[in-house]
Amino acid sequence: MVKKLKHLELIQNAINRLANSSFFLKGWTVIFVAAVLGFATKDSKPMYVWLAAIPTVSFWVLDGFYLNQEKHFRRLYEAVREINEDEIDFSMNTTRFKQSGDWFKAIFSKTLLFFFPTILIVIGIVLLWQLMERDVG
């Protein structure tokens, strides 16, 4: 039982690292977008607002990758949990748990669809505000 527990612990540590990476990525997204939008509104340059959208989409895709990998490790965890102690090989290979379209599903999961599109909507609102202000002024 010791081997199985140790293997499950290793898998859980990988899951925790991926979850932490996703959390920090969301934090960096907010910080980066706030900084770029701050500069854009200070200088009244609508072009700068677009600069916030490109990394936001990149971070969204990267966060989908982390979520996808986390799901693979959760499937590995379940498989290891159900096998006999004698069959434990401490493998961390998740390729057998990959399914077609997993990454795409992860990118458009409920948690990511709430966070990243909201930021893109805010970027769009600031861009419209900048363009309207420029036309009025």
Side-chain angles (χ1 to χ4, degrees), residues 79-90:
V80 169
R81 191 179 62 80
E82 294 174 358
I83 64 175
N84 292 327
E85 176 86 10
D86 300 337
E87 298 175 38
I88 299 294
D89 61 357
F90 293 98

Side-chain angles (χ1 to χ4, degrees), residues 114-127:
F114 175 75
F115 185 78
F116 289 100
T118 303
I119 291 179
L120 291 172
I121 289 169
V122 169
I123 292 169
I125 290 170
V126 171
L127 178 63

Side-chain angles (χ1 to χ4, degrees), residues 104-115:
F104 186 78
K105 289 177 189 173
I107 291 170
F108 293 102
S109 68
K110 291 176 187 175
T111 55
L112 299 187
L113 273 179
F114 175 75
F115 185 78

Side-chain angles (χ1 to χ4, degrees), residues 15-27:
I15 292 169
N16 289 341
R17 282 193 306 275
L18 289 165
N20 284 338
S21 295
S22 178
F23 177 78
F24 286 124
L25 186 64
K26 286 179 179 77

